[in-house]
mmCIF file of all heavy atoms in Angstrom:
data_model
loop_
_atom_site.group_PDB
_atom_site.id
_atom_site.type_symbol
_atom_site.label_atom_id
_atom_site.label_comp_id
_atom_site.label_asym_id
_atom_site.label_seq_id
_atom_site.Cartn_x
_atom_site.Cartn_y
_atom_site.Cartn_z
ATOM 1 N N THR B 19 44.281 -166.894 39.014
ATOM 2 C CA THR B 19 45.111 -167.322 37.842
ATOM 3 C C THR B 19 46.027 -168.449 38.215
ATOM 4 O O THR B 19 46.065 -169.455 37.525
ATOM 5 C CB THR B 19 45.934 -166.108 37.324
ATOM 6 O OG1 THR B 19 45.032 -165.072 37.045
ATOM 7 C CG2 THR B 19 46.701 -166.500 36.078
ATOM 8 N N LEU B 20 46.700 -168.323 39.332
ATOM 9 C CA LEU B 20 47.626 -169.384 39.717
ATOM 10 C C LEU B 20 46.873 -170.654 40.079
ATOM 11 O O LEU B 20 47.263 -171.775 39.687
ATOM 12 C CB LEU B 20 48.492 -168.922 40.928
ATOM 13 C CG LEU B 20 49.582 -169.906 41.366
ATOM 14 C CD1 LEU B 20 50.560 -170.182 40.220
ATOM 15 C CD2 LEU B 20 50.346 -169.395 42.562
ATOM 16 N N TRP B 137 46.688 -154.849 38.091
ATOM 17 C CA TRP B 137 45.851 -156.040 37.923
ATOM 18 C C TRP B 137 44.461 -155.828 38.492
ATOM 19 O O TRP B 137 43.443 -156.218 37.888
ATOM 20 C CB TRP B 137 46.469 -157.233 38.623
ATOM 21 C CG TRP B 137 47.703 -157.824 37.902
ATOM 22 C CD1 TRP B 137 48.089 -157.547 36.634
ATOM 23 C CD2 TRP B 137 48.624 -158.786 38.438
ATOM 24 N NE1 TRP B 137 49.202 -158.262 36.344
ATOM 25 C CE2 TRP B 137 49.589 -159.064 37.420
ATOM 26 C CE3 TRP B 137 48.774 -159.422 39.678
ATOM 27 C CZ2 TRP B 137 50.626 -159.922 37.585
ATOM 28 C CZ3 TRP B 137 49.806 -160.327 39.840
ATOM 29 C CH2 TRP B 137 50.761 -160.560 38.825
ATOM 30 N N PHE B 181 55.654 -162.206 40.901
ATOM 31 C CA PHE B 181 55.889 -161.881 39.506
ATOM 32 C C PHE B 181 56.167 -160.410 39.392
ATOM 33 O O PHE B 181 55.506 -159.603 40.054
ATOM 34 C CB PHE B 181 54.650 -162.232 38.660
ATOM 35 C CG PHE B 181 54.460 -163.741 38.511
ATOM 36 C CD1 PHE B 181 53.551 -164.435 39.312
ATOM 37 C CD2 PHE B 181 55.205 -164.449 37.575
ATOM 38 C CE1 PHE B 181 53.397 -165.810 39.205
ATOM 39 C CE2 PHE B 181 55.069 -165.844 37.460
ATOM 40 C CZ PHE B 181 54.154 -166.497 38.274
ATOM 41 N N THR B 191 52.332 -156.313 31.912
ATOM 42 C CA THR B 191 51.705 -156.950 33.101
ATOM 43 C C THR B 191 51.559 -158.458 32.984
ATOM 44 O O THR B 191 51.041 -159.077 33.931
ATOM 45 C CB THR B 191 50.289 -156.344 33.313
ATOM 46 O OG1 THR B 191 49.525 -156.466 32.064
ATOM 47 C CG2 THR B 191 50.369 -154.932 33.772
ATOM 48 N N ASN B 192 51.957 -159.080 31.891
ATOM 49 C CA ASN B 192 51.698 -160.528 31.849
ATOM 50 C C ASN B 192 52.814 -161.402 31.335
ATOM 51 O O ASN B 192 53.649 -161.825 32.094
ATOM 52 C CB ASN B 192 50.441 -160.804 31.002
ATOM 53 C CG ASN B 192 49.197 -160.876 31.854
ATOM 54 O OD1 ASN B 192 49.265 -161.202 33.016
ATOM 55 N ND2 ASN B 192 48.054 -160.468 31.303
ATOM 56 N N GLY B 193 52.875 -161.606 30.059
ATOM 57 C CA GLY B 193 53.648 -162.706 29.473
ATOM 58 C C GLY B 193 55.122 -162.668 29.805
ATOM 59 O O GLY B 193 55.705 -163.732 30.034
ATOM 60 N N HIS B 194 55.775 -161.504 29.858
ATOM 61 C CA HIS B 194 57.205 -161.537 30.035
ATOM 62 C C HIS B 194 57.672 -161.163 31.422
ATOM 63 O O HIS B 194 58.787 -160.735 31.627
ATOM 64 C CB HIS B 194 57.849 -160.623 28.973
ATOM 65 C CG HIS B 194 57.595 -161.135 27.605
ATOM 66 N ND1 HIS B 194 56.598 -160.655 26.768
ATOM 67 C CD2 HIS B 194 58.180 -162.186 26.892
ATOM 68 C CE1 HIS B 194 56.606 -161.324 25.612
ATOM 69 N NE2 HIS B 194 57.554 -162.240 25.705
ATOM 70 N N LEU B 195 56.774 -161.307 32.380
ATOM 71 C CA LEU B 195 57.166 -161.036 33.731
ATOM 72 C C LEU B 195 58.228 -162.021 34.257
ATOM 73 O O LEU B 195 58.268 -163.180 33.797
ATOM 74 C CB LEU B 195 55.957 -161.142 34.669
ATOM 75 C CG LEU B 195 54.847 -160.090 34.442
ATOM 76 C CD1 LEU B 195 53.665 -160.379 35.342
ATOM 77 C CD2 LEU B 195 55.393 -158.651 34.758
ATOM 78 N N GLU B 276 49.095 -176.799 28.399
ATOM 79 C CA GLU B 276 48.582 -175.677 29.186
ATOM 80 C C GLU B 276 49.651 -175.086 30.155
ATOM 81 O O GLU B 276 49.488 -174.009 30.749
ATOM 82 C CB GLU B 276 47.396 -176.067 30.025
ATOM 83 C CG GLU B 276 46.158 -176.451 29.183
ATOM 84 C CD GLU B 276 45.700 -175.330 28.257
ATOM 85 O OE1 GLU B 276 45.705 -174.190 28.729
ATOM 86 O OE2 GLU B 276 45.429 -175.596 27.097
ATOM 87 N N LEU B 277 50.738 -175.879 30.372
ATOM 88 C CA LEU B 277 51.723 -175.474 31.309
ATOM 89 C C LEU B 277 52.286 -174.084 31.028
ATOM 90 O O LEU B 277 52.809 -173.846 29.941
ATOM 91 C CB LEU B 277 52.864 -176.513 31.357
ATOM 92 C CG LEU B 277 53.837 -176.419 32.507
ATOM 93 C CD1 LEU B 277 53.192 -176.885 33.788
ATOM 94 C CD2 LEU B 277 55.064 -177.345 32.198
ATOM 95 N N GLY B 278 52.181 -173.165 31.993
ATOM 96 C CA GLY B 278 52.735 -171.866 31.802
ATOM 97 C C GLY B 278 51.954 -170.940 30.888
ATOM 98 O O GLY B 278 52.379 -169.835 30.638
ATOM 99 N N LYS B 279 50.807 -171.422 30.417
ATOM 100 C CA LYS B 279 49.983 -170.604 29.517
ATOM 101 C C LYS B 279 49.255 -169.539 30.321
ATOM 102 O O LYS B 279 48.751 -169.795 31.412
ATOM 103 C CB LYS B 279 48.945 -171.463 28.778
ATOM 104 C CG LYS B 279 49.513 -172.328 27.663
ATOM 105 C CD LYS B 279 49.671 -171.547 26.360
ATOM 106 C CE LYS B 279 50.568 -172.257 25.349
ATOM 107 N NZ LYS B 279 49.987 -173.540 24.907
ATOM 108 N N ILE B 280 49.171 -168.346 29.757
ATOM 109 C CA ILE B 280 48.482 -167.273 30.456
ATOM 110 C C ILE B 280 47.834 -166.356 29.427
ATOM 111 O O ILE B 280 48.370 -166.193 28.319
ATOM 112 C CB ILE B 280 49.444 -166.515 31.374
ATOM 113 C CG1 ILE B 280 48.661 -165.566 32.262
ATOM 114 C CG2 ILE B 280 50.527 -165.759 30.618
ATOM 115 C CD1 ILE B 280 49.408 -165.124 33.524
ATOM 116 N N ALA B 281 46.703 -165.772 29.796
ATOM 117 C CA ALA B 281 45.999 -164.854 28.885
ATOM 118 C C ALA B 281 46.745 -163.520 28.887
ATOM 119 O O ALA B 281 47.042 -162.901 29.928
ATOM 120 C CB ALA B 281 44.568 -164.645 29.365
ATOM 121 N N GLY B 282 47.073 -163.021 27.670
ATOM 122 C CA GLY B 282 47.745 -161.728 27.578
ATOM 123 C C GLY B 282 46.751 -160.583 27.768
ATOM 124 O O GLY B 282 45.567 -160.819 27.997
ATOM 125 N N THR B 283 47.252 -159.367 27.693
ATOM 126 C CA THR B 283 46.399 -158.223 27.968
ATOM 127 C C THR B 283 45.184 -158.095 27.048
ATOM 128 O O THR B 283 44.182 -157.539 27.394
ATOM 129 C CB THR B 283 47.207 -156.864 27.913
ATOM 130 O OG1 THR B 283 48.154 -157.033 26.845
ATOM 131 C CG2 THR B 283 47.949 -156.644 29.177
ATOM 132 N N GLY B 285 43.768 -160.788 25.674
ATOM 133 C CA GLY B 285 43.104 -162.071 25.667
ATOM 134 C C GLY B 285 43.839 -163.174 24.913
ATOM 135 O O GLY B 285 43.484 -164.317 24.959
ATOM 136 N N GLU B 286 44.917 -162.807 24.211
ATOM 137 C CA GLU B 286 45.714 -163.812 23.499
ATOM 138 C C GLU B 286 46.458 -164.674 24.505
ATOM 139 O O GLU B 286 46.686 -164.300 25.641
ATOM 140 C CB GLU B 286 46.685 -163.128 22.520
ATOM 141 C CG GLU B 286 47.980 -162.523 23.155
ATOM 142 C CD GLU B 286 47.723 -161.186 23.852
ATOM 143 O OE1 GLU B 286 46.603 -160.839 24.094
ATOM 144 O OE2 GLU B 286 48.762 -160.549 24.182
ATOM 145 N N THR B 287 46.860 -165.864 24.114
ATOM 146 C CA THR B 287 47.519 -166.810 24.979
ATOM 147 C C THR B 287 49.028 -166.635 24.875
ATOM 148 O O THR B 287 49.604 -166.732 23.798
ATOM 149 C CB THR B 287 47.127 -168.260 24.683
ATOM 150 O OG1 THR B 287 45.714 -168.343 24.770
ATOM 151 C CG2 THR B 287 47.772 -169.212 25.661
ATOM 152 N N LEU B 288 49.680 -166.453 26.007
ATOM 153 C CA LEU B 288 51.136 -166.333 26.072
ATOM 154 C C LEU B 288 51.693 -167.501 26.805
ATOM 155 O O LEU B 288 51.056 -168.112 27.602
ATOM 156 C CB LEU B 288 51.528 -165.024 26.803
ATOM 157 C CG LEU B 288 50.967 -163.711 26.228
ATOM 158 C CD1 LEU B 288 51.245 -162.564 27.166
ATOM 159 C CD2 LEU B 288 51.537 -163.452 24.830
ATOM 160 N N GLN B 289 52.973 -167.772 26.504
ATOM 161 C CA GLN B 289 53.691 -168.833 27.215
ATOM 162 C C GLN B 289 54.695 -168.155 28.143
ATOM 163 O O GLN B 289 55.507 -167.372 27.731
ATOM 164 C CB GLN B 289 54.411 -169.727 26.191
ATOM 165 C CG GLN B 289 55.403 -170.679 26.827
ATOM 166 C CD GLN B 289 54.670 -171.761 27.610
ATOM 167 O OE1 GLN B 289 53.710 -172.312 27.203
ATOM 168 N NE2 GLN B 289 55.174 -172.047 28.829
ATOM 169 N N SER B 290 54.564 -168.450 29.453
ATOM 170 C CA SER B 290 55.461 -167.837 30.438
ATOM 171 C C SER B 290 56.274 -168.930 31.110
ATOM 172 O O SER B 290 55.705 -169.762 31.836
ATOM 173 C CB SER B 290 54.685 -167.037 31.435
ATOM 174 O OG SER B 290 55.469 -166.800 32.651
ATOM 175 N N LEU B 293 56.018 -168.611 34.927
ATOM 176 C CA LEU B 293 54.745 -169.157 35.437
ATOM 177 C C LEU B 293 54.794 -170.679 35.414
ATOM 178 O O LEU B 293 54.392 -171.353 36.385
ATOM 179 C CB LEU B 293 53.563 -168.638 34.613
ATOM 180 C CG LEU B 293 52.195 -169.196 35.027
ATOM 181 C CD1 LEU B 293 51.871 -168.836 36.470
ATOM 182 C CD2 LEU B 293 51.076 -168.726 34.106
ATOM 183 N N GLN B 297 54.258 -173.083 38.627
ATOM 184 C CA GLN B 297 53.242 -174.179 38.669
ATOM 185 C C GLN B 297 53.866 -175.498 38.971
ATOM 186 O O GLN B 297 53.344 -176.275 39.787
ATOM 187 C CB GLN B 297 52.479 -174.217 37.314
ATOM 188 C CG GLN B 297 51.605 -173.025 37.060
ATOM 189 C CD GLN B 297 51.050 -173.039 35.617
ATOM 190 O OE1 GLN B 297 51.523 -173.767 34.753
ATOM 191 N NE2 GLN B 297 49.998 -172.206 35.390
#
Side-chain angles (χ1 to χ4, degrees):
Chain B
T19 303
L20 185 59
W137 286 347
F181 288 99
T191 52
N192 267 330
H194 296 98
L195 294 175
E276 296 302 317
L277 193 70
K279 286 276 165 65
I280 190 160
T283 36
E286 78 282 14
T287 302
L288 303 171
Q289 169 67 45
S290 162
L293 177 62
Q297 291 171 343

